[in-house]
Amino acid sequence: MELKPNLTPVLTDALTRSRLGVPSGLSPYSSPKGATFPHHGPLLAIPRKKTGILDDFRSSGCLDAMNSSSPTHNKVSKDLSHGVGSPDAAYSTWLLKFPSALTSFDQISNCAKGKRIALFLDYDGTLSPIVDNPDCAFMSDNMRAAVKKVAEYFPTAIISGRRRDKVYEFVGLSDLYYAGSHGMDIIGPPRQSISGDHPDSEKQGVGELNLFQPAAEFLPMIDEVLGLLKECTKDIEGATVENNKFCASVHYRNVDKESWPIVGQRVYDVMKQYPRLRLTHGRKVLEVRPVIDWDKGKAVTFLLESLGLDNCDDLLAIYVGDDRTDEDAFKVIIIIINRLL
Ligand SMILES: O=P(O)(O)OC[C@H]1O[C@H](O[C@H]2O[C@H](CO)[C@@H](O)[C@H](O)[C@H]2O)[C@H](O)[C@@H](O)[C@@H]1O
């Protein structure tokens, strides 16, 4: 499959918009009156007690989520033990319930016999290692070769929080499907594999690609928020803002832990001006995205439908991911696996 650059974004139709929870009469985006990045004095001027402005942010649970993002193995073990028994014992018990796929490989390959397989892969932390600089999260040549090989046998998609062009640049393989911005920017499979007319995509000719962008109308808003986020975090050492096209990511991996509440509060203050945006958490990253009912799980469903695989009772869909946002996809996969059992 050849990826074509500069495809025109698909304008989703009324049916799609209602499925996504986007009001049909939505007027073109205009900036909230007086939207601005909140003024902040020097960092030390931010109150550290649970009073005033920090209450909002802390009571939202955002700080807890920031603290628990990307926990170490020891931290997971300790949390699981809940103070009863040793952390290692608790982790072993947890593993019995949720065994590692790597140690169950024979079981998985037995289950795969005679099934149709579709493979979905997250990018960061799955195909590439987690590194301090998001621009340097390169995948290894061995990993690239493995993904290329598997895509020769099964439909394979990369589902990432990153912008689609960026993840494509990292992966560099053309025979895959790509869903960037947490599934809000999908290059779908060729049109001819779909039986009947599909309401979610622009009708295109045989062999052409479908571009599906359910949050296209949020682009100006996200652009504006990106600017505000950059401005209000620029004095926080180590904080960076990444443009993921339909989402904005605020990284705090390289910020001193003492300053995490400040990062969270600044993001929270910007968000308050945008009720049509919501915040999700990844590995030491806060992700600002549209409120539409769309996530990595919906992207998996969309791709399976587009591939004509959604109603197959012999489908084994596999999703490999490492992050909270991947859990939406795991939920979809569990439903599919249960159909097989
Ligand atoms: O859905 P994914 O493909 O896993 O993308 C999620 C986010 O991944 C990236 O951030 C994470 O990886 C960085 C590089 O290893 C790391 O520095 C950062 O702390 C992690 O959160 C990416 O930069 C984000 O834009 C993605 O949303």
Side-chain angles (χ1 to χ4, degrees), residues 17-142:
R17 289 159 63 94
S18 81
R19 277 179 52 183
L20 300 179
V22 179
S24 54
L26 212 60
S27 50
Y29 173 65
S30 63
S31 172
K33 215 174 174 188
T36 148
F37 71 92
H39 173 73
H40 297 283
L43 296 188
L44 286 176
I46 298 228
R48 292 191 177 272
K49 284 188 182 161
K50 274 192 140 191
T51 54
I53 198 164
L54 279 183
D55 280 347
D56 279 355
F57 158 68
R58 289 176 193 272
S59 60
S60 72
C62 186
L63 182 59
D64 290 344
M66 285 175 82
N67 283 329
S68 65
S69 78
S70 212
T72 58
H73 171 82
N74 286 345
K75 168 89 171 58
V76 172
S77 305
K78 206 170 156 202
D79 287 353
L80 287 169
S81 72
H82 297 298
V84 184
S86 77
D88 279 346
Y91 189 61
S92 306
T93 310
W94 184 84
L95 272 181
L96 283 178
K97 201 171 167 201
F98 302 103
S100 159
L102 294 177
T103 56
S104 315
F105 197 78
D106 289 345
Q107 209 182 332
I108 293 171
S109 50
N110 280 337
C111 174
K113 281 184 189 137
K115 308 285 188 319
R116 294 196 235 198
I117 294 177
L119 181 62
F120 299 92
L121 301 166
D122 164 55
Y123 183 75
D124 285 280
T126 298
L127 296 182
S128 69
I130 292 292
V131 292
D132 286 345
N133 181 351
D135 288 336
C136 296
F138 305 114
M139 69 193 274
S140 67
D141 290 341
N142 281 347

Side-chain angles (χ1 to χ4, degrees), residues 122-126 128-137 158-163 167 182 242 244 249 251-254 282-285 287 296 319 322-323 325-326:
D122 164 55
Y123 183 75
D124 285 280
T126 298
S128 69
I130 292 292
V131 292
D132 286 345
N133 181 351
D135 288 336
C136 296
I158 310 288
I159 316 247
S160 175
R162 289 189 185 254
R163 51 185 301 146
V167 78
H182 293 289
E242 190 180 359
N244 279 325
S249 300
H251 291 276
Y252 57 93
R253 177 171 297 279
N254 303 319
R283 299 178 70 161
K284 297 200 170 50
V285 65
E287 312 212 75
K296 288 185 170 189
Y319 189 100
D322 71 318
D323 210 342
T325 59
D326 297 310

Side-chain angles (χ1 to χ4, degrees), residues 43 232-240 251-257 259-260 262-263 266:
L43 296 188
C232 74
T233 54
K234 69 181 183 194
D235 61 340
I236 306 174
E237 204 180 326
T240 52
H251 291 276
Y252 57 93
R253 177 171 297 279
N254 303 319
V255 174
D256 190 288
K257 198 165 181 186
S259 301
W260 288 7
I262 298 168
V263 177
R266 301 264 174 98

